[in-house]
Structure formats: structure tokens, C-alpha cells
């Protein structure tokens, strides 16, 4: 069992930055691939980024590539999402999720989800 708690969301102006954190419980954090997803009002949940067990095998959605960076600290059981050059279209609830394998962008393969943190980007 893995419990995930996101933090770091908030209101920011376009062009600004935020760093999201996702703290995980459990001793097996390092054995999970960790992903970030987001869901805007009226839209389906979409993939943002994923990071493999050792911090490698990162993969990003085209919409955030070059602006967002996913990283993890296995000693702290935490995964991060650094978001730069934010745009109004990045406004969404952001979720972190844990995948015992590595299925990349397929949200259905993730076993554990956090409660989400709201990110709002004003124009």
C-alpha cells in the first residue's frame, strides 16, 4: 500500500513557476515509477510526466516538454514537478500516481493516486 500526498499548488501569473511535491508513505517508494497527471474542468485527466524507479526513464507530454521537470528523491520518498513558464492552459488539478511497473502515460496502469493539488495560472 502506498499513500500519496501532493502539495505546492496555488495561484500564479502566466510566465511564473511552481514546484509541486508528492510525498509517499511506505518503504517501497523506490520500486515504483511515479507519474504526474492533471485534470482541467470539463476535461479528461491527462498525462503530464513520468519518472522511473531510479530517476531515469523520464517522459513528458508534448504540451509541457521543455517547461516542466520531474524528479524524485528516493531517500525522502518524494517526487517533484518543477513547472516553469506556466500558461493559463496549465490550470488544472494535478495528481501524482504510483505505478509498480513502468507504463508511461497510461493512467489506468497506476495503482495509487494522491488527492490532487490545484494549480491556477492567471493571464
Amino acid at each position: 500500500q502506498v499513500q500519496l500526498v501532493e502539495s505546492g499548488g496555488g495561484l500564479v501569473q502566466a510566465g511564473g513557476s511552481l514546484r509541486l511535491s508528492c510525498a509517499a508513505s511506505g518503504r517501497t517508494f523506490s520500486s515504483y515509477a511515479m507519474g504526474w497527471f492533471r485534470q482541467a474542468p470539463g476535461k479528461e485527466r491527462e498525462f503530464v510526466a513520468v519518472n522511473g524507479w531510479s530517476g531515469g526513464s523520464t517522459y513528458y507530454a508534448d504540451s509541457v516538454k521543455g517547461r516542466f521537470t520531474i524528479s524524485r528523491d528516493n531517500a525522502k520518498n518524494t517526487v517533484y514537478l518543477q513547472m516553469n513558464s506556466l500558461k493559463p492552459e496549465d490550470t488544472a488539478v494535478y495528481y501524482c500516481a504510483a505505478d509498480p511497473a513502468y507504463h508511461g502515460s497510461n493512467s489506468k496502469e497506476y495503482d495509487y493516486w494522491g488527492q490532487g493539488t490545484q494549480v491556477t495560472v492567471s493571464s
Side-chain angles (χ1 to χ4, degrees), residues 51-121:
N51 183 282
W53 306 279
S54 62
S57 300
T58 57
Y59 175 66
Y60 297 93
D62 287 343
S63 59
V64 306
K65 199 173 295 182
R67 299 188 298 122
F68 290 11
T69 302
I70 187 172
S71 62
R72 65 192 294 162
D73 185 337
N74 286 338
K76 296 182 178 179
N77 281 11
T78 302
V79 62
Y80 305 97
L81 185 69
Q82 178 67 44
M83 306 186 295
N84 299 328
S85 302
L86 282 161
K87 304 175 181 180
E89 52 263 43
D90 294 318
T91 296
V93 177
Y94 283 71
Y95 300 88
C96 69
D99 179 1
Y102 184 92
H103 294 96
S105 61
N106 188 350
S107 62
K108 296 180 180 179
E109 299 292 344
Y110 286 73
D111 288 354
Y112 303 104
W113 292 82
Q115 83 289 348
T117 186
Q118 176 71 47
V119 171
T120 303
V121 184

Side-chain angles (χ1 to χ4, degrees), residues 6-82:
E6 302 97 335
S7 61
L11 174 64
V12 64
Q13 289 188 333
S17 298
L18 282 174
R19 188 176 82 154
L20 306 183
S21 299
C22 173
S25 65
R27 300 179 181 179
T28 59
F29 173 76
S30 61
S31 66
Y32 286 86
M34 297 298 297
W36 285 96
F37 293 79
R38 66 186 182 185
Q39 188 167 18
K43 296 187 178 181
E44 294 187 354
R45 188 173 297 184
E46 65 173 359
F47 167 77
V48 175
V50 62
N51 183 282
W53 306 279
S54 62
S57 300
T58 57
Y59 175 66
Y60 297 93
D62 287 343
S63 59
V64 306
K65 199 173 295 182
R67 299 188 298 122
F68 290 11
T69 302
I70 187 172
S71 62
R72 65 192 294 162
D73 185 337
N74 286 338
K76 296 182 178 179
N77 281 11
T78 302
V79 62
Y80 305 97
L81 185 69
Q82 178 67 44

